[in-house]
Amino acid sequence: MPLSEDQPAELHVPPGEPVKLVLTSDDVIHGFFISAFRLKMDVVPGRYNTLWFTATRPGEYLVQCSAYCGTRHSEMRSVCIVHPGRPSFDEWLRNAKQKTLGKLTPVDRGRRLYVGKGGCVQCHSLDGTRRIGPTFKDLYGAEVVLRGGVRKLADEDYLREHYTPVDLVGLYWHFVDIIWIYLFPLLYLIR
């Protein structure tokens, strides 16, 4: 992901550690390709493909699209930077976080997560409007019903567990809970 509009995307990885990439496309089929690593994976709209690799030699390696994807195909080039060691990668990661999030207030960070690409706003509202997922209005401090009738208080721990984008497993299971809550009454009516 680019750190800014004028800086091209770069893939930074630590040496000697497994790296997992989850790839998808917003438009057409692309091909993620790093020839030096002998890696190629299709990047398909509406689908998530997973690619694991371990980079063993520090350096910069060309990343390019291997599938003709349109008139700007030849411009789809980037670089994979394998750092000399874990400390170097950790320093880069700290600096990257500082550049992207360090200047934002916690409220602005939350807003960016909520309205940004792939953000919460795609499924959740703040004003009580019904969407795919439940509204966030009046959620904090309320009792929520989960799969199997389990009731939980929507406190900080619950919100961190179920709504933190980094915790995709919790988010997935919360999605399953939501589907169950909304579908069960419909299934009962259909019978």
Side-chain angles (χ1 to χ4, degrees), residues 29-33 63-69 73 76-78:
I29 295 174
H30 296 278
F32 180 86
F33 181 55
V63 178
Q64 59 193 70
C65 182
S66 63
Y68 180 74
C69 55
H73 167 71
M76 294 197 70
R77 302 168 66 112
S78 187

Side-chain angles (χ1 to χ4, degrees), residues 110-126:
R111 185 176 295 116
R112 180 184 247 184
L113 282 174
Y114 182 74
V115 299
K117 184 176 180 181
C120 311
V121 70
Q122 293 182 5
C123 298
H124 304 277
S125 74
L126 295 174

